[in-house]
Amino acid sequence: MKKFLILSDSHGNIEALKKVIEAEPGTTDVIFLGDGLADVRTLKEEYPQLKIHYVRGNCDYSRSDPAETMIEVENHLIFFCHGDGYQVKLTVAALKYAARQRKADIALFGHTHSPYYEYSDGLYLFNPGSVSRPRVGMPTYGVMILGEDTPRFYHKEVPAYW
């Protein structure tokens, strides 16, 4: 069984990311969905035991980092991106199409700063929200558990750090 933290849209708030990692013992991997690549580089230095997967967002200016990628874990094919290239603020239709074209059964995205979960005909869509700048409510992150028959997804509030 693997426990993933799903993080997005930190926008320079490294303290929020650290609080999330400290609040989630047993985490093996982190998937960062963009808009805070400098924060990810800091996490890699401070938490070398974690495997950190990431993509760039529309506010990350390094074009050498991937805009989208895929990984295979525990018999699941995971497609992830920031989401801006699929207009996810309007609809998830293009993201669903892209994930299905790639034969993924899990699609992760950020960009909207709002938590989202949907299961549709064999495809899980999940957005953790923003760890630092939510559109509504408190900052949030996601937890994904793989290794059982059905993947499990959770939205959680970022622990207070001020």
Side-chain angles (χ1 to χ4, degrees):
M1 182 164 26
K2 292 188 75 107
K3 178 180 180 180
F4 286 77
L5 289 180
I6 313 299
L7 308 171
S8 190
D9 296 283
S10 57
H11 293 280
N13 191 337
I14 188 68
E15 292 306 313
L17 294 175
K18 289 179 183 180
K19 283 295 183 183
V20 168
I21 289 170
E22 292 166 13
E24 295 292 341
T27 297
T28 56
D29 293 65
V30 172
I31 296 178
F32 185 80
L33 301 171
D35 283 355
L37 287 186
D39 305 332
V40 169
R41 287 174 177 74
T42 300
L43 287 183
K44 284 182 162 195
E45 292 172 11
E46 294 191 22
Y47 300 95
Q49 76 279 12
L50 291 175
K51 184 165 186 167
I52 300 177
H53 314 268
Y54 64 91
V55 291
R56 72 174 188 260
N58 60 302
C59 293
D60 295 314
Y61 300 109
S62 168
R63 293 297 168 231
S64 61
D65 293 301
E68 57 187 51
T69 194
M70 294 184 70
I71 58 174
E72 187 170 357
V73 181
E74 301 282 342
N75 298 315
H76 293 282
L77 193 54
I78 304 167
F79 170 63
F80 59 98
C81 61
H82 185 60
D84 56 309
Y86 295 97
Q87 296 80 42
V88 296
K89 286 185 178 179
L90 302 174
T91 177
V92 294
L95 177 66
K96 282 183 183 180
Y97 181 79
R100 291 187 193 288
Q101 287 294 107
R102 291 162 175 79
K103 309 283 189 240
D105 63 321
I106 297 172
L108 307 173
F109 65 103
H111 189 54
T112 65
H113 292 230
S114 298
Y116 182 86
Y117 172 80
E118 177 185 340
Y119 176 76
S120 174
D121 193 28
L123 178 64
Y124 297 89
L125 280 87
F126 186 82
N127 182 327
S130 171
V131 297
S132 69
R133 297 181 185 174
R135 294 279 186 249
V136 176
M138 300 298 291
T140 57
Y141 66 97
V143 174
M144 177 175 69
I145 308 292
L146 300 179
E148 299 173 354
D149 289 340
T150 303
R152 291 182 287 150
F153 298 88
Y154 304 93
H155 288 108
K156 296 188 174 187
E157 288 185 2
V158 173
Y161 52 88
W162 47 85

